[in-house]
Amino acid sequence: MLKAIIGHQLITTVQYTKEELLKLRKSSPQFLCPHCSAPLILRIGNIKIPHFAHSAKKSCPYQSRKETPVHIWSKALLYKRLSQLYEGVELEYYLKDLRQIPDLFLNVKGESIAIEIQCSTIPLSEVKYRTEGYIKEKIHPLWILTQPVADSIPLKLTTFQQAFIRFSPDLNYFLLHFEPAKKSFTIFPNLTPVTTHLFLHSKRIVVPLNDFTLPISIAPPGTGDSTLITDWMKHRQKWIQNKIHYSSLRNDRFLKDVYEEGDTFVYLPLFVGLPVLPHTVLYKSHPVEWQYYLWKDVMKKKQYFTKEMLGKAIARRVARGQIEMRNLPLSDGGRGIQMVMNDYLTKLEELEMVRKGEGKAFALSIGWKCPHNFTEFQQHERDFFSNWKHILKKH
């Protein structure tokens, strides 16, 4: 921890230079834990920044936290920056009702904010538990990921790192990442999954620590400079080829469903597996899979259908484990199924594949037809891309 009590005064190591702390330690004062009043040791080394630690095992709310050098350093940097902007920034503040200690706690324009810096992998259930606890107490949780993120195109995120994806009207689904060594934040906006762990995104936004504020003030990135749409079909085709090469009909439920329906997997129509921004990130299953099930379960069978019918069809597949939702504890996925339905129908309307009927109903503009050979598929591509190119111009 970075703070302790000396006498009746609360101090933090961030307030002093290394030389000042060495001099303070030499004077042999008694350092006490602000959470449990147990004796603390002031550690001053060459790896971690100066910090306090319990001198013996003690039942303390803070004792269970195992902090890496990166975690302590990140906390100190953010504390210094936020203290320049706001009054009353609390370091390692104990919330009695929740029995939780966020790294930083402050109030901005009447809103309480708890900042959690995450370097190591912890159970996602713990992230969800803490998040729900803060929200219940009307505290806004701000999780900041410092765990190294693979610098790749598309962006590669582990299941744990994906848990820090959140939504905003300007950034859509985005990841906020902090690199203390560079003293800067990187925002990856408009995240769009192409596989379980690979994500396309708009141009990354770098925010120097000295420019960091709450709420994060940046201009909306837009999607004009991205490859979200233009590169999509290439990634869709790669996913299909990998599915063929690395899956077996006997063990792959989806391939078996396509085969039993009488359709040809490699020639599935291009309107199955569309990038439906922004909410497709909520689905762990590939768009080819959940969109095919929509056509198979509803669109092929019903002359007229509604968003609610599509939502219920997907919900049944989710309940059976045939479609997976992504675990995003920082995002409200409760309405995710219906939001993705809205995105998909909007895209199909743009492609003139469906049209609005009476009331809330929709109807197909053309019937379902899955090409059965390469020649038929080439003709389908020509017809599809004559409409698709107009969508590309919009983006």
Side-chain angles (χ1 to χ4, degrees), residues 352-389:
E352 300 180 357
M353 299 300 303
V354 302
R355 55 182 172 80
K356 288 185 178 179
E358 296 182 3
K360 297 182 179 180
F362 291 83
L364 294 182
S365 300
I366 60 173
W368 167 273
K369 183 180 179 182
C370 182
H372 292 287
N373 55 56
F374 184 64
T375 302
E376 289 184 14
F377 186 73
Q378 282 185 310
Q379 182 59 50
H380 166 67
E381 281 186 317
R382 287 191 289 269
D383 296 338
F384 176 84
F385 282 113
S386 65
N387 286 335
W388 183 251
K389 65 183 179 181

Side-chain angles (χ1 to χ4, degrees), residues 1-12 29-42 51-65 67 91-94 101:
M1 67 179 66
L2 297 179
K3 67 181 184 179
I5 295 174
I6 301 179
H8 298 289
Q9 183 182 1
L10 183 67
I11 70 164
T12 69
Q30 185 178 34
F31 301 111
L32 299 178
C33 175
H35 305 299
C36 68
S37 299
L40 297 176
I41 299 172
L42 175 56
H51 63 282
F52 297 101
H54 284 81
S55 58
K57 288 186 177 181
K58 177 76 176 177
S59 178
C60 174
Y62 204 88
Q63 188 75 323
S64 61
R65 298 168 69 104
E67 297 184 311
L91 188 65
E92 302 162 354
Y93 184 72
Y94 182 55
I101 305 175

Side-chain angles (χ1 to χ4, degrees), residues 66-225:
K66 295 180 180 179
E67 297 184 311
T68 63
V70 172
H71 189 158
I72 297 174
W73 189 20
S74 300
K75 183 164 46 177
L77 289 173
L78 287 172
Y79 177 74
K80 284 183 178 179
R81 170 57 185 167
L82 294 175
S83 295
Q84 294 170 352
L85 301 174
Y86 312 105
E87 294 182 358
V89 179
E90 296 282 356
L91 188 65
E92 302 162 354
Y93 184 72
Y94 182 55
L95 298 169
K96 293 181 180 179
D97 292 339
L98 295 176
R99 296 183 180 179
Q100 292 180 200
I101 305 175
D103 293 303
L104 298 166
F105 186 80
L106 67 159
N107 191 284
V108 178
K109 296 180 180 179
E111 181 180 26
S112 296
I113 300 175
I115 297 179
E116 292 271 11
I117 300 167
Q118 200 58 47
C119 301
S120 56
T121 299
I122 62 175
L124 296 185
S125 58
E126 178 67 17
V127 177
K128 184 177 180 180
Y129 174 78
R130 291 191 210 172
T131 299
E132 291 176 347
Y134 290 133
I135 293 173
K136 185 178 179 180
E137 295 297 320
K138 297 182 180 180
I139 298 170
H140 177 74
L142 176 59
W143 289 82
I144 297 178
L145 182 68
T146 60
Q147 190 179 94
V149 172
D151 188 10
S152 61
I153 303 176
L155 181 67
K156 187 175 183 179
L157 299 176
T158 66
T159 299
F160 178 73
Q161 291 167 345
Q162 291 172 38
F164 294 85
I165 295 173
R166 71 198 78 191
F167 180 81
S168 82
D170 291 333
L171 301 171
N172 291 328
Y173 289 90
F174 71 98
L175 181 72
L176 174 68
H177 185 253
F178 180 54
E179 292 184 84
K182 295 182 179 180
K183 295 185 179 180
S184 67
F185 291 85
T186 301
I187 298 171
F188 301 92
N190 295 306
L191 289 171
T192 305
V194 293
T195 68
T196 302
H197 294 288
L198 297 179
F199 295 78
L200 296 175
H201 58 83
S202 297
K203 184 178 180 180
R204 66 184 66 190
I205 303 167
V206 177
V207 181
L209 179 61
N210 289 336
D211 294 336
F212 181 73
T213 61
L214 294 175
I216 304 170
S217 300
I218 58 171
T223 57
D225 57 355

